[in-house]
Amino acid sequence: MKHRSGMFVCLALTIFCLGATSFAQMPGMGGGSGTFSGYQGHNMNDDLILPQVVVGQNYTTSLLLLNMGNSQVMNWVPAQNLITSGKVYFYRQDGTGLPVSVNGSAPASEFSFSLDPSKSAYYELSSTGSDTPGWALIDVDEPASGSGWGMMDGRTMTRGMRIMATVFYTYSGAGQPTSRVGVVPSMYEMGKFATSIISVQSNDDLYTGVAVVNTSAVAVTVTLRLKDSNGNVLATSPLSLNPGNQTAKFVHELFSSVLPADFKGFLEVSSSDEGIVTMGLLVSQGIMTSVPMAHYGQITMMP
């Protein structure tokens, strides 16, 4: 139990719960408008968030960025306006900068990117130190005035939709890869998806975990509710996160006193505060993968 807890804290959320554009909002769903001044003054609205990143001597993390601009398809946009740039910021769980070596460069807690239309770039993230979990922000630059790209699937293409990002995590034991997972970051959308739900399975060698990050500039309160398959609430646990803080834990750590043996149910993560992004994870026999999370906001009656 202790070993698996440590694995989760480190490998913790190999962020990409493969089904996971999970932890936050899936690009293309809903879309709040405006500016949300989040952690360290970043405008988090429509930016991409990786709720869990792990680097260290046992991990290799790779980030692939693709510019969704296509000059042949989007011929109404000047080629110069299809170039997309931005920065990637890495943070430890306490919100301090996480130094990462990008493609063998000197360690730094941020790096810039600029991509021509339809071009992609591959970044290998590494660290020679101990395995360290955290989170990352892909901050896409605001497009110049009048350089709109048009619509995608019926909604205006925001800056977060101009980049497709994929993250791959590889965990190696005794020098050999033992676990790999790939994930898609979530796009934070202001005023959307106040609640996330993840299916939970737990027995002697099957564990479900969740990562929660506060991307806002103020402390937030999150409520965790463990529910059985009939929808009954077995336990409720409050969680407070300071600005830029992240936590990643297994459900059996969060609800050890009430979690039945061989449990199947759900975990609900909700908050009335802006800035929360989540992600789910599943570990079995040392193999880690992701589990999809569903997100929704306020449910109201049709007018």
Side-chain angles (χ1 to χ4, degrees):
M1 182 86 74
K2 183 177 180 180
H3 168 71
R4 303 219 181 279
S5 299
M7 179 195 295
F8 185 57
V9 171
C10 293
L11 197 171
L13 279 187
T14 255
I15 260 200
F16 274 134
C17 306
L18 219 164
T21 303
S22 76
F23 19 48
Q25 293 72 300
M26 295 190 65
M29 297 178 62
S33 60
T35 298
F36 172 49
S37 183
Y39 188 55
Q40 295 187 337
H42 295 293
N43 176 18
M44 293 291 179
N45 196 35
D46 294 323
D47 260 343
L48 301 176
I49 309 295
L50 300 174
Q52 175 84 5
V53 172
V54 183
V55 292
Q57 56 190 1
N58 295 311
Y59 284 90
T60 299
T61 300
S62 303
L63 171 63
L64 180 67
L65 298 179
L66 169 67
N67 184 352
M68 297 296 289
N70 187 317
S71 56
Q72 294 182 330
V73 174
M74 307 160 78
N75 54 22
W76 61 89
V77 183
Q80 183 66 26
N81 289 346
L82 290 175
I83 297 173
T84 299
S85 59
K87 280 188 176 182
V88 181
Y89 297 84
F90 301 97
Y91 299 101
R92 293 187 177 92
Q93 288 185 311
D94 64 0
T96 58
L98 172 61
V100 171
S101 176
V102 180
N103 292 342
S105 65
S109 59
E110 62 183 69
F111 75 90
S112 301
F113 65 86
S114 181
L115 296 172
D116 289 337
S118 302
K119 300 296 184 181
S120 63
Y122 178 90
Y123 306 97
E124 185 169 298
L125 316 176
S126 61
S127 172
T128 57
S130 58
D131 297 340
T132 304
W135 62 284
L137 163 67
I138 302 176
D139 190 7
V140 183
D141 288 342
E142 199 70 46
S145 177
S147 61
W149 282 13
M151 310 286 286
M152 176 186 287
D153 295 331
R155 61 168 293 187
T156 300
M157 290 186 70
T158 62
R159 58 199 182 100
M161 297 169 68
R162 298 184 178 213
I163 290 289
M164 186 194 81
T166 307
V167 177
F168 302 94
Y169 298 90
T170 300
Y171 174 78
S172 299
Q176 296 295 322
T178 59
S179 179
R180 286 191 176 97
V181 64
V183 233
V184 178
S186 302
M187 187 171 73
Y188 186 81
E189 295 181 279
M190 187 173 62
K192 301 292 180 180
F193 308 106
T195 302
S196 298
I197 295 178
I198 180 176
S199 62
V200 173
Q201 298 181 65
S202 182
N203 57 40
D204 288 343
D205 196 27
L206 184 63
Y207 304 98
T208 302
V210 64
V212 185
V213 60
N214 173 18
T215 70
S216 78
V218 298
V220 300
T221 300
V222 178
T223 300
L224 307 175
R225 294 184 180 88
L226 182 67
K227 297 183 177 183
D228 64 19
S229 57
N230 293 317
N232 300 311
V233 177
L234 302 183
T236 299
S237 177
L239 172 66
S240 297
L241 290 173
N242 287 325
N245 279 204
Q246 180 253 31
T247 185
K249 290 186 177 181
F250 286 113
V251 172
H252 68 257
E253 296 178 290
L254 295 167
F255 299 101
S256 59
S257 62
V258 299
L259 189 69
D262 196 20
F263 176 77
K264 292 182 176 63
F266 298 88
L267 177 67
E268 181 183 276
V269 184
S270 60
S271 177
S272 60
D273 299 316
E274 287 283 355
I276 293 299
V277 182
T278 59
M279 181 178 78
L281 183 70
L282 187 69
V283 173
S284 177
Q285 297 181 348
I287 304 299
M288 178 173 289
T289 187
S290 59
V291 288
M293 297 185 73
H295 312 274
Y296 62 91
Q298 185 178 14
I299 299 176
T300 61
M301 182 182 298
M302 291 289 291

